[in-house]
Amino acid sequence: SVPLQIPKTDIKTLRNRVYKGIKIFINIFVKSVDFCKYISYNFNITYKAVLFMTDIRIHGYARVSTKEQNEARQINAFKEMGISERDIYIDKVSGKSFDRPEYQRMLNALRKGDLLVVLSIDRLGRNYTEIQEQWRYITSELGADIKVLDMPLLDTRNGKDLLGTFIADLVLQILSFVAQTEREHIRER
């Protein structure tokens, strides 16, 4: 018996159809970064390719208070997560207000299902009330998730039930209070 030989153009077409099928499946049934990692690992497709197929983007937001401060630690943490440089936003201004150019640009880029990553809650801001308002705006109105790297409890992809939301809100309030108090102490010095 003669082995079946498929012309190269047909293999390319077949591969494109498979990728298109995966993309359709993921976009219909999956809006989870963790599932993208699962698909990537088990089907030997690069993680970035899976994220591209799902239209889910991971955004990193870094902030330092002055131009002299170094944001490298935050950027390195984002790169370790596989966040593309085009999706990393950096402001070098005070955290007292959310009227920051890169923060506003990042908000405009966030879409439903996307993930915003910050190293710590005080990098997001240092105003108790505004941190909570922005958190709710991003998660409720934009439909994006937020992950705070140094506080695993503050990951909106986990614990979407009432208890999980209550615990995350409580931790968010405490850390927002600490961030604003620290800003006030810095200002006094």
Side-chain angles (χ1 to χ4, degrees):
S1 91
V2 177
L4 180 64
Q5 293 184 349
I6 302 171
K8 289 183 181 181
T9 55
D10 290 343
I11 291 174
K12 184 176 180 181
T13 303
L14 180 62
R15 184 179 56 210
N16 288 339
R17 287 183 182 166
V18 168
Y19 279 124
K20 187 175 182 180
I22 291 171
K23 182 174 182 175
I24 291 169
F25 169 80
I26 291 173
N27 280 308
I28 291 173
F29 297 106
V30 180
K31 290 295 180 188
S32 164
V33 172
D34 291 330
F35 189 78
C36 292
K37 288 180 181 175
Y38 173 83
I39 293 283
S40 171
Y41 179 78
N42 287 296
F43 293 97
N44 199 24
I45 303 171
T46 67
Y47 179 60
K48 286 185 179 182
V50 174
L51 284 177
F52 177 76
M53 285 189 260
T54 63
D55 298 326
I56 294 173
R57 285 176 55 190
I58 304 176
H59 305 267
Y61 178 72
R63 185 191 63 77
V64 292
S65 298
T66 66
K67 293 182 189 227
E68 293 79 32
Q69 289 178 316
N70 190 342
E71 70 280 357
R73 185 173 62 97
Q74 296 173 68
I75 305 305
N76 289 339
F78 298 151
K79 287 182 179 177
E80 285 178 16
M81 284 192 65
I83 300 175
S84 168
E85 284 193 33
R86 75 181 175 114
D87 293 323
I88 296 175
Y89 304 86
I90 306 164
D91 275 314
K92 293 190 174 196
V93 294
S94 168
K96 68 179 180 179
S97 164
F98 280 87
D99 187 24
R100 303 177 221 135
E102 287 298 300
Y103 182 79
Q104 294 302 319
R105 197 167 77 82
M106 182 266 311
L107 280 182
N108 289 330
L110 274 175
R111 297 171 297 177
K112 184 175 183 162
D114 283 357
L115 175 64
L116 169 62
V117 179
V118 292
L119 184 63
S120 60
I121 199 70
D122 65 333
R123 298 300 88 205
L124 190 59
R126 288 196 181 269
N127 181 309
Y128 177 80
T129 306
E130 286 192 38
I131 291 172
Q132 294 180 49
E133 288 172 1
Q134 290 297 309
W135 187 278
R136 281 175 186 49
Y137 174 72
I138 291 168
T139 58
S140 298
E141 295 195 27
L142 294 179
D145 285 307
I146 303 174
K147 177 178 181 155
V148 179
L149 292 177
D150 73 352
M151 182 54 62
L153 286 172
L154 291 179
D155 185 343
T156 60
R157 299 171 300 167
N158 304 326
K160 294 206 180 236
D161 60 348
L162 185 59
L163 180 60
T165 303
F166 171 74
I167 291 170
D169 284 347
L170 188 62
V171 171
L172 176 63
Q173 286 186 17
I174 292 168
L175 293 177
S176 301
F177 173 79
V178 170
Q180 179 169 336
T181 304
E182 189 175 318
R183 185 184 119 234
E184 291 169 358
H185 289 307
I186 290 170
R187 197 173 34 179
E188 288 173 5
R189 290 185 217 150

